Amino acid sequence: IKALDQAVKLLKPGGIITLISYVVHQGGSQEASSIQGWLKQSRYKNLVVKLKSSSSTKENAPELVVIIKDSA
């Protein structure tokens, strides 16, 4: 979460951060939950967040998170 905060501060308008959340490794569910909480509570109002879950029927499929800093 600290790394996300730092990355967003460095991100220029129009810049993109991508994350892949793997929940199947040890601690992965907690990691994914922390990222989701950060996204929901983010104090950065100039971010566009897109989530892409796998169309796989697997419950533990990786999830792509794309964070874009608004250029406005």
Side-chain angles (χ1 to χ4, degrees):
I1 299 306
K2 290 180 184 180
L4 281 174
D5 281 327
Q6 290 299 318
V8 168
K9 289 177 186 176
L10 295 172
L11 198 61
K12 295 183 180 188
I16 299 172
I17 297 171
T18 58
L19 307 167
I20 297 287
S21 180
Y22 293 99
V23 295
V24 294
H25 69 84
Q26 185 175 356
S29 291
Q30 182 180 3
E31 208 171 73
S33 179
S34 293
I35 291 169
Q36 291 295 331
W38 182 87
L39 292 170
K40 288 179 184 175
Q41 297 177 357
S42 179
R43 62 186 175 276
Y44 305 104
K45 303 301 178 201
N46 58 342
L47 299 180
V48 177
V49 178
K50 298 181 181 188
L51 302 173
K52 175 70 174 151
S53 296
S54 173
S55 60
S56 169
T57 57
K58 291 185 179 181
E59 188 175 304
N60 295 329
E63 182 174 75
L64 172 64
V65 178
V66 180
I67 302 169
I68 306 166
K69 190 167 193 177
D70 196 354
S71 57

